Amino acid sequence: MSTNDPAGTLASPSPQRDEANLWFGTVIAHAAAAMLFCAVAFTAGFYRLRGFWPPASARPGVLVPALAGGLLVTGAVLLQVVLGRSAEPRRIRLLLAGVLGTGAGFLGTQAAWLHVLFWYRDIRIPDSGVFASALYGLSAVQAAHLAVVFVGLLRAGLRVLRGMDARAPLRRALPGWWCSTVMYGVLFAVVYLP
């Protein structure tokens, strides 16, 4: 205890308190992202219910978006398996590599797909109306949220490679991944389903 702080009020918080603070911040961050996403999704859903959707000039198809959604669900299941397994480092590393692979695959597929829609199918703002705004707005919020979770998983993966315990950051990443998966399910239903 420092002589300048006889009551110990400046002492470092306990690891349990650190973890509780990290969980609190994680929940607040996911809730904020989910609220922003829901606001855009409800607005898009409102416009969809009022008219024909998507417009005949801007039908993006559902196969690629459905495959991207499959990558997200696969990643969520793999991450759940990682956390459910008793520690066997090699298998955990492989499963975590699979999770990161599905995340990178999803983000890459989304970027390529939106690029195709923008440049080759002329789905653009403002020419394609509310549909284009919903497509790019919802995709941007969901992808940004998943990218943050992905970076957290990368950091956890580095801890695993160094032989350190990474279960706490992996547990914190799991609800984020599922949250992003649910977001994408809503996006798919609102934007892509005919």
Side-chain angles (χ1 to χ4, degrees), residues 9 48 67 74-75 80 95 99-101 111 117 125 132 137 141 149 154 184:
T9 54
R48 177 166 188 169
L67 290 174
T74 303
Q80 196 85 49
L95 288 169
V99 175
L100 291 170
L117 296 182
I125 301 173
V141 174
V149 176
L154 269 180
Y184 188 76

mmCIF file of all heavy atoms in Angstrom, residues 9 48 67 74-75 80 95 99-101 111 117 125 132 137 141 149 154 184:
data_model
loop_
_atom_site.group_PDB
_atom_site.id
_atom_site.type_symbol
_atom_site.label_atom_id
_atom_site.label_comp_id
_atom_site.label_asym_id
_atom_site.label_seq_id
_atom_site.Cartn_x
_atom_site.Cartn_y
_atom_site.Cartn_z
ATOM 1 N N THR A 9 -7.060 3.184 -1.856
ATOM 2 C CA THR A 9 -8.091 3.433 -2.864
ATOM 3 C C THR A 9 -7.535 3.430 -4.274
ATOM 4 O O THR A 9 -8.285 3.295 -5.241
ATOM 5 C CB THR A 9 -8.767 4.785 -2.621
ATOM 6 O OG1 THR A 9 -7.759 5.801 -2.545
ATOM 7 C CG2 THR A 9 -9.554 4.764 -1.316
ATOM 8 N N ARG A 48 -40.524 -1.827 -46.704
ATOM 9 C CA ARG A 48 -40.799 -3.053 -47.472
ATOM 10 C C ARG A 48 -42.274 -3.422 -47.410
ATOM 11 O O ARG A 48 -42.846 -3.871 -48.402
ATOM 12 C CB ARG A 48 -39.945 -4.199 -46.925
ATOM 13 C CG ARG A 48 -40.256 -5.486 -47.646
ATOM 14 C CD ARG A 48 -39.256 -6.572 -47.422
ATOM 15 N NE ARG A 48 -39.593 -7.685 -48.321
ATOM 16 C CZ ARG A 48 -38.825 -8.716 -48.544
ATOM 17 N NH1 ARG A 48 -37.661 -8.788 -47.954
ATOM 18 N NH2 ARG A 48 -39.197 -9.657 -49.356
ATOM 19 N N LEU A 67 -25.243 -18.488 -48.425
ATOM 20 C CA LEU A 67 -23.964 -19.149 -48.135
ATOM 21 C C LEU A 67 -23.164 -18.368 -47.099
ATOM 22 O O LEU A 67 -22.531 -18.947 -46.207
ATOM 23 C CB LEU A 67 -23.148 -19.296 -49.429
ATOM 24 C CG LEU A 67 -23.702 -20.304 -50.449
ATOM 25 C CD1 LEU A 67 -22.878 -20.248 -51.732
ATOM 26 C CD2 LEU A 67 -23.696 -21.715 -49.863
ATOM 27 N N THR A 74 -21.830 -21.568 -38.961
ATOM 28 C CA THR A 74 -20.756 -22.539 -38.743
ATOM 29 C C THR A 74 -19.730 -22.002 -37.754
ATOM 30 O O THR A 74 -19.281 -22.716 -36.848
ATOM 31 C CB THR A 74 -20.071 -22.873 -40.084
ATOM 32 O OG1 THR A 74 -21.044 -23.364 -40.992
ATOM 33 C CG2 THR A 74 -18.985 -23.909 -39.893
ATOM 34 N N GLY A 75 -19.350 -20.734 -37.921
ATOM 35 C CA GLY A 75 -18.388 -20.135 -36.998
ATOM 36 C C GLY A 75 -18.913 -20.099 -35.574
ATOM 37 O O GLY A 75 -18.172 -20.349 -34.614
ATOM 38 N N GLN A 80 -18.666 -22.268 -30.125
ATOM 39 C CA GLN A 80 -19.338 -22.929 -29.002
ATOM 40 C C GLN A 80 -18.602 -24.220 -28.652
ATOM 41 O O GLN A 80 -18.426 -24.538 -27.464
ATOM 42 C CB GLN A 80 -20.786 -23.236 -29.403
ATOM 43 C CG GLN A 80 -21.706 -23.563 -28.263
ATOM 44 C CD GLN A 80 -22.289 -22.333 -27.622
ATOM 45 O OE1 GLN A 80 -22.794 -21.466 -28.304
ATOM 46 N NE2 GLN A 80 -22.201 -22.265 -26.304
ATOM 47 N N LEU A 95 -9.791 -25.656 -34.055
ATOM 48 C CA LEU A 95 -11.166 -25.160 -34.061
ATOM 49 C C LEU A 95 -11.203 -23.637 -34.131
ATOM 50 O O LEU A 95 -12.024 -23.048 -34.839
ATOM 51 C CB LEU A 95 -11.893 -25.645 -32.796
ATOM 52 C CG LEU A 95 -12.241 -27.133 -32.770
ATOM 53 C CD1 LEU A 95 -12.702 -27.548 -31.379
ATOM 54 C CD2 LEU A 95 -13.321 -27.438 -33.799
ATOM 55 N N VAL A 99 -12.923 -21.068 -36.774
ATOM 56 C CA VAL A 99 -13.788 -19.920 -36.462
ATOM 57 C C VAL A 99 -13.295 -18.678 -37.199
ATOM 58 O O VAL A 99 -14.074 -17.958 -37.850
ATOM 59 C CB VAL A 99 -13.824 -19.652 -34.937
ATOM 60 C CG1 VAL A 99 -14.634 -18.391 -34.652
ATOM 61 C CG2 VAL A 99 -14.409 -20.838 -34.194
ATOM 62 N N LEU A 100 -11.990 -18.438 -37.113
ATOM 63 C CA LEU A 100 -11.434 -17.249 -37.773
ATOM 64 C C LEU A 100 -11.586 -17.364 -39.293
ATOM 65 O O LEU A 100 -11.825 -16.359 -39.983
ATOM 66 C CB LEU A 100 -9.963 -17.082 -37.386
ATOM 67 C CG LEU A 100 -9.736 -16.686 -35.922
ATOM 68 C CD1 LEU A 100 -8.259 -16.792 -35.562
ATOM 69 C CD2 LEU A 100 -10.241 -15.270 -35.671
ATOM 70 N N GLY A 101 -11.450 -18.580 -39.809
ATOM 71 C CA GLY A 101 -11.612 -18.779 -41.257
ATOM 72 C C GLY A 101 -13.033 -18.462 -41.712
ATOM 73 O O GLY A 101 -13.230 -17.824 -42.751
ATOM 74 N N ALA A 111 -17.954 -8.414 -48.758
ATOM 75 C CA ALA A 111 -17.316 -7.310 -49.477
ATOM 76 C C ALA A 111 -17.393 -7.549 -50.985
ATOM 77 O O ALA A 111 -17.727 -6.643 -51.763
ATOM 78 C CB ALA A 111 -15.865 -7.163 -49.030
ATOM 79 N N LEU A 117 -22.785 -6.130 -56.524
ATOM 80 C CA LEU A 117 -24.090 -5.473 -56.609
ATOM 81 C C LEU A 117 -23.946 -4.010 -56.989
ATOM 82 O O LEU A 117 -24.739 -3.465 -57.768
ATOM 83 C CB LEU A 117 -24.825 -5.589 -55.262
ATOM 84 C CG LEU A 117 -25.197 -7.006 -54.809
ATOM 85 C CD1 LEU A 117 -25.955 -6.952 -53.494
ATOM 86 C CD2 LEU A 117 -26.018 -7.727 -55.872
ATOM 87 N N ILE A 125 -27.072 3.997 -54.311
ATOM 88 C CA ILE A 125 -27.793 5.057 -53.608
ATOM 89 C C ILE A 125 -27.559 6.362 -54.371
ATOM 90 O O ILE A 125 -26.403 6.681 -54.669
ATOM 91 C CB ILE A 125 -27.269 5.207 -52.169
ATOM 92 C CG1 ILE A 125 -27.445 3.875 -51.404
ATOM 93 C CG2 ILE A 125 -27.952 6.348 -51.427
ATOM 94 C CD1 ILE A 125 -26.798 3.876 -50.038
ATOM 95 N N ALA A 132 -31.604 0.082 -51.753
ATOM 96 C CA ALA A 132 -30.142 0.215 -51.707
ATOM 97 C C ALA A 132 -29.681 0.753 -50.359
ATOM 98 O O ALA A 132 -28.671 0.303 -49.799
ATOM 99 C CB ALA A 132 -29.669 1.128 -52.834
ATOM 100 N N GLY A 137 -26.780 -0.005 -45.718
ATOM 101 C CA GLY A 137 -26.781 0.444 -44.317
ATOM 102 C C GLY A 137 -26.743 -0.731 -43.358
ATOM 103 O O GLY A 137 -25.892 -0.781 -42.448
ATOM 104 N N VAL A 141 -23.463 -1.899 -40.857
ATOM 105 C CA VAL A 141 -23.538 -2.006 -39.395
ATOM 106 C C VAL A 141 -23.214 -3.429 -38.947
ATOM 107 O O VAL A 141 -22.424 -3.645 -38.015
ATOM 108 C CB VAL A 141 -24.946 -1.587 -38.893
ATOM 109 C CG1 VAL A 141 -25.067 -1.832 -37.393
ATOM 110 C CG2 VAL A 141 -25.210 -0.124 -39.210
ATOM 111 N N VAL A 149 -15.733 -8.080 -33.331
ATOM 112 C CA VAL A 149 -15.668 -9.395 -32.685
ATOM 113 C C VAL A 149 -14.501 -10.196 -33.260
ATOM 114 O O VAL A 149 -13.764 -10.873 -32.531
ATOM 115 C CB VAL A 149 -16.995 -10.150 -32.883
ATOM 116 C CG1 VAL A 149 -16.911 -11.554 -32.302
ATOM 117 C CG2 VAL A 149 -18.146 -9.387 -32.239
ATOM 118 N N LEU A 154 -9.045 -12.648 -32.919
ATOM 119 C CA LEU A 154 -7.643 -12.711 -33.358
ATOM 120 C C LEU A 154 -6.701 -12.547 -32.177
ATOM 121 O O LEU A 154 -5.706 -13.273 -32.044
ATOM 122 C CB LEU A 154 -7.372 -11.603 -34.381
ATOM 123 C CG LEU A 154 -7.577 -11.922 -35.861
ATOM 124 C CD1 LEU A 154 -7.261 -10.688 -36.695
ATOM 125 C CD2 LEU A 154 -6.714 -13.092 -36.293
ATOM 126 N N TYR A 184 -27.459 -10.707 -38.966
ATOM 127 C CA TYR A 184 -27.436 -11.086 -40.377
ATOM 128 C C TYR A 184 -28.716 -11.810 -40.779
ATOM 129 O O TYR A 184 -29.207 -11.653 -41.897
ATOM 130 C CB TYR A 184 -26.219 -11.958 -40.689
ATOM 131 C CG TYR A 184 -26.069 -12.194 -42.166
ATOM 132 C CD1 TYR A 184 -25.575 -11.202 -42.990
ATOM 133 C CD2 TYR A 184 -26.466 -13.391 -42.747
ATOM 134 C CE1 TYR A 184 -25.467 -11.385 -44.358
ATOM 135 C CE2 TYR A 184 -26.364 -13.596 -44.107
ATOM 136 C CZ TYR A 184 -25.857 -12.585 -44.911
ATOM 137 O OH TYR A 184 -25.755 -12.769 -46.264
#
